[in-house]
Each structure stands twice: as C-alpha cells, then as structure tokens.
Amino acid sequence: MSGFAHSIGGQTWRFDSLREVMAKASPARSGDRLAGVAAGSDAERVAAQMALADIPLKHFLDEALIPYESDEVTRLIIDTHDREAFALVSHLTVGGLRDWLLGDAADEASLRALAPGLTPEMAAAVSKIMRVQDLVLVAQKIRVVTRFRNTMGLRGRMSTRLQPNHPTDDPAGIAASVLDGLLYGNGDAMLGINPATDSLQSICTLLEMLDAIIQRYEIPTQSCVLTHVTSSIEAINRGAPLDLVFQSIAGTEAANASFGVSLSILKEGYEAGLSQKRGTLGDNLMYFETGQGSALSANAHHGVDQQTCETRAYAVARHFKPFLVNTVVGFIGPEYLYNGKQIIRAGLEDHFCAKLLGVPMGCDICYTNHAEADQDDMDMLLTLLGVAGINFIMGIPGSDDVMLNYQTTSFHDALYARQTLGLRPAPEFEAWLARMEILRQQDGRVHMANQLPGAFRHALAQLS
C-alpha cells in the first residue's frame, strides 16, 4: 500500500505515509502545529481520520513510523509483539477495532488478553477516531492491577500520590505536607518527592526520612524520590531505603537519550530495584512519567505526531512491569497543549491508550501558569478520569506545587472524586486509614473523620 486517500465533497485528500495520515488525523493541538505535522484544516483532519479508519491493523506491522534499524523503541515494539494475542483483532481495520472496543465482546478479560497483541501505534490510531465518551467508556472496562506494598488499579478504587515537594527540601516542610495529605486520605499510591537538588546525599536523606515515616506509622505504601535512574542505582548501592525506581521516559530512542537513558540503563535500574526485595505484596517497582510533547521538545520526534510518540513510551514502560505510570499531561506547557480543551483530550487519550496496552496509568491533572487553562478545566478532567477508572492522581497542598511552580490537584480534590464517584483508596491503605481513625466509610463512600488521630498529635506538636 503506497499512501492513503479520502474524498470529501468532491475533493480528494492524499497522504503519502502512515506517519502522515496518523499526524493529520490527530485532534488539533499546538504541538503538532509547532512541529509542522498537523492537518491544515478541519476538512483535511476529517479526511485523514476517515482514511485512517479504513487502514487494516495488520498494516501497522509492515510500516514502521520510525525505522526499525535506527530506533531501539521501534525494535522493542516489533520484537515483543504477541501475534497470538493479536489474532483476536487481526482481521479488523482501525475503524473496526473502534467498533469492537465499544461492543460487549470487549470485556475486562478479553481486553487484558489483547493488550500484548496491540502495538502503541494501533492504540494511538484508534484513539484518534474516538470521541471523549468513547475514550472513557472503553478505559473504564480495563483494569491494570499492580502490587508492591499495596494493590493499585482495582475496580472501584482510586489512589493518590502524595507529593510533598518543598523548594529547599526542608524536612519540616515536607513532613507537614505529608501529615496534611495523610489526614485527607492521600498517599496510597506513594509518598513521592521531586527533589530540589540532584545531590545524592540529599536524595538519600529524603529516602531515609520517607522510610522512617512509613515504618513509624506502619503505613502500607511506598516511597519514591524522583531522581535520575542512575542516581537511584547509586543510592541503592549506598544502602538507601529505596522502594520505587523513577525515570522520565519518551517514545523514541533519541528522546530517551535526551533524558540520559536507554533501555539498557532502565534494565539496570529495574534489576537494582528488584535486588532490594522491599515489596511485601509484589515486585512491580518502576515509576515512570511521560507527557505529550517531550519528544518534540527534544527535537527527537522524527516527524511523528506528539500523541503517537507519547503512546510509544508506553511500550517502554510496560516492558519493565511498572507499579505506576504517570502522564504529567499539562506540565510541558501551552506550546504543546495550548488550552484546557487540548489538555482534557490529551489526558483521556493517554489514559485510554496506556490501559489498552496493559499499562497501570495515572495522571497528573495539571497546567502551567501561562496556559489557557484553569482549575475548572482540571475539575472536568479529574471527574472524567475518575469515571474512566484512573489508577491514581496527584495530591498536593492547595493544588499549587511550590517547588515546580505549576497547578495540579489537591488533597481535597481526591476526596471530592472519591465521595462523588463512590471510589475508595487501595484496600490495604483503606484498612490503615480506618485503624488510624482518619477516614470512615458511610453509605459506601469515603468521609473524613473530622478529628486529629491520637497517633499524629505528637507529630503535629513537634512540627509546630
């Protein structure tokens, strides 16, 4: 097949490659326009979507968007593709896959079995021809369950990463945020700090502090300091109590190189984490962060649209059996996702594609201060992702990260979603919250206990 075409109202639109039709079928976003790959008009976008819908899924195995010979992510995608799992949908087109996903045959069990048979490009393609409600409907069918010290991803559950960042990594400031978050029922996904410095000594100090909190109060959760994977390896070598191994990743070899990583380095970090044997329920221990636009910002997108590049990152993630993956959806800025509408759509696409590929997806529902977005947009995305079955979201004091200077979701935002949608924390953490008299269950919903647990009164007195 050489090129693709579709006619609308007597005009025929032609697309020279799968890469071009994928890019021009993408819903409008500023990053693709910046890269020069976006459709030139709404009519061209619709023509590309119609052409994409008619492409057989098998074609994605024959035409690589980025050459196999020059990109290790492409090689990973092709070499690990499960053709037996793919057989379930191998006769379908992209449009046929959409119809099948929306039907009753696509249930939790069949979608779990299908995941290794889909390539990221197939998932990205079908997302481009789906409405918001389609992305929500299919994603809520899928559950990707992982375990370390508690269980993520169960139906009816929504967890949070308690993010107690501080501009100087001050222990008292971090401890105050941790206490505040725990009192709102946050922290079952992890206690995760973005450090203000890359100093290995500071990183080890933070790891020791978080571990001391977890051990003192016997909290069934895990900690993470979001430093480079090579720093995590060195911290492990120094004997630091490191639970989850973090790294930002992208969907091309060149973009990952801009982060200072490769598949071999990620494997080294994964094996170092496994050597710790710190998980009590399971050994899912990698924590990855992604975001649409990262490959473009590194000039490493190879002419591929930003959403497809993002979805390719999920192939990297799932290869290492992560505990959590997080799309930091609006963090890169309006150059890539201009406004609230684009951020909302991107967050739902990322969640849908990741879950379809078997990746345990969460979302940092966020925006930078110079984006055309506000907290109302974040409330809409939070609610939609809660309905769609998101594994976890962020919990940050007052929605405002004072270290990274961006706006995200607060401790009470998680409580809103849990109360409104009947969602609950991870079961092990929920039991701990009840034991500590922090939260209570009433009418199947989570409520604050409205009193300071005795176990925390001494800690609060020390902070004050």
Side-chain angles (χ1 to χ4, degrees):
M1 188 182 297
S2 58
F4 310 91
H6 190 81
S7 298
I8 299 177
Q11 180 174 359
T12 299
W13 300 89
R14 300 188 184 280
F15 310 98
D16 292 335
S17 64
L18 183 60
R19 179 169 55 195
E20 182 183 5
V21 76
M22 288 274 283
K24 292 188 174 179
S26 287
R29 57 207 56 192
S30 52
D32 288 339
R33 184 172 295 276
L34 180 66
V37 301
S41 66
D42 289 340
E44 185 180 21
R45 180 174 299 108
V46 171
Q49 289 172 341
M50 297 296 287
L52 182 61
D54 289 336
I55 297 175
L57 293 177
K58 288 181 179 178
H59 184 77
F60 288 81
L61 302 176
D62 298 327
E63 184 177 348
L65 302 189
I66 302 173
Y68 181 94
E69 297 75 17
S70 61
D71 187 272
E72 69 174 358
V73 177
T74 299
R75 293 194 290 275
L76 175 69
I77 291 167
I78 298 300
D79 293 349
T80 61
H81 179 247
D82 188 333
R83 288 185 177 268
E84 185 175 338
F86 178 58
L88 179 65
V89 297
S90 62
H91 61 291
L92 297 175
T93 62
V94 173
L97 177 61
R98 173 188 177 273
D99 293 342
W100 183 84
L101 290 170
L102 293 171
D104 292 338
D107 56 17
E108 185 172 345
S110 61
L111 289 168
R112 184 183 303 112
L114 174 63
L118 293 177
T119 67
E121 291 84 355
M122 293 175 193
V126 74
S127 75
K128 295 175 190 297
I129 61 170
M130 299 180 88
R131 294 171 56 184
V132 162
Q133 65 174 250
D134 299 337
L135 298 172
V136 172
L137 173 61
V138 176
Q140 65 81 31
K141 298 181 182 184
I142 305 168
R143 289 297 178 270
V144 182
V145 178
T146 58
R147 293 176 175 87
F148 190 74
R149 288 203 191 100
N150 54 19
T151 308
M152 295 289 109
L154 296 171
R155 188 170 297 277
R157 309 276 177 171
M158 186 192 76
S159 299
T160 63
R161 169 188 160 191
L162 202 170
Q163 185 170 307
N165 293 347
H166 192 278
T168 63
D169 289 340
D170 178 64
I174 291 171
S177 292
V178 170
L179 176 61
D180 190 18
L182 290 172
L183 291 174
Y184 276 96
N186 282 249
D188 48 341
M190 70 162 135
L191 310 182
I193 299 174
N194 297 85
T197 173
D198 287 331
S199 160
L200 194 61
Q201 182 56 53
S202 176
I203 289 163
C204 290
T205 299
L206 292 174
L207 287 168
E208 290 163 1
M209 175 189 178
L210 293 177
D211 185 63
I213 293 171
I214 290 171
Q215 298 302 325
R216 176 177 178 180
Y217 296 105
E218 299 180 333
I219 309 171
T221 191
Q222 37 282 317
S223 67
C224 184
V225 174
L226 281 67
T227 187
H228 194 271
V229 61
T230 55
S231 296
S232 292
I233 294 169
E234 181 57 31
I236 289 171
N237 291 338
R238 293 190 181 190
L242 188 146
D243 293 336
L244 304 183
V245 178
F246 166 77
Q247 184 55 49
S248 292
I249 57 172
T252 72
E253 179 178 346
N256 283 324
S258 75
F259 291 143
V261 297
S262 62
L263 294 180
S264 62
I265 292 174
L266 292 175
K267 181 181 179 183
E268 185 180 351
Y270 175 57
E271 291 174 347
L274 286 175
S275 72
Q276 296 284 82
K277 295 182 170 59
R278 293 179 60 83
T280 55
L281 297 182
D283 59 3
N284 300 116
L285 54 81
M286 299 300 285
Y287 173 56
F288 294 120
E289 287 193 344
T290 68
Q292 288 193 28
S294 60
L296 173 58
S297 69
N299 194 29
H301 62 100
H302 302 279
V304 177
D305 68 272
Q306 68 179 37
Q307 189 249 336
T308 301
C309 281
E310 166 72 4
T311 306
R312 283 169 54 93
Y314 307 154
V316 177
R318 72 176 174 181
H319 186 63
F320 296 100
K321 303 177 178 63
F323 183 63
L324 305 167
V325 178
N326 177 32
T327 170
V328 193
V329 64
F331 185 75
I332 301 181
E335 299 83 1
Y336 307 97
L337 296 171
Y338 179 71
N339 55 19
K341 180 180 177 65
Q342 291 187 10
I343 292 171
I344 290 169
R345 172 80 194 190
L348 294 170
E349 288 170 348
D350 295 351
H351 178 249
F352 163 84
C353 289
K355 288 290 186 66
L356 198 59
L357 295 168
V359 171
M361 198 62 166
C363 183
D364 191 342
I365 300 162
C366 64
Y367 62 100
T368 56
N369 291 318
H370 62 309
E372 289 294 321
D374 58 28
Q375 215 64 34
D376 285 346
D377 296 311
M378 300 306 102
D379 285 350
M380 286 188 279
L381 180 53
L382 168 61
T383 305
L384 287 165
L385 285 172
V387 174
I390 192 81
N391 277 33
F392 74 103
I393 62 168
M394 300 295 110
I396 293 175
S399 305
D400 185 2
D401 191 300
V402 295
M403 198 280 282
L404 293 174
N405 292 310
Y406 77 115
Q407 309 304 310
T408 180
T409 46
S410 70
F411 299 144
H412 63 269
D413 290 336
L415 194 61
Y416 145 76
R418 285 170 172 168
Q419 289 179 338
T420 303
L421 301 174
L423 301 172
R424 297 157 64 183
E428 301 86 358
F429 193 76
E430 181 182 50
W432 179 83
L433 292 171
R435 188 168 69 251
M436 296 292 288
E437 300 180 335
I438 293 174
L439 297 184
R440 57 185 171 82
Q441 292 288 329
Q442 182 177 330
D443 302 324
R445 284 174 164 76
V446 174
H447 298 270
M448 293 181 64
N450 294 320
Q451 63 180 5
L452 183 65
F456 285 158
R457 287 176 191 154
H458 177 65
L460 187 62
Q462 287 183 317
L463 289 171
S464 60

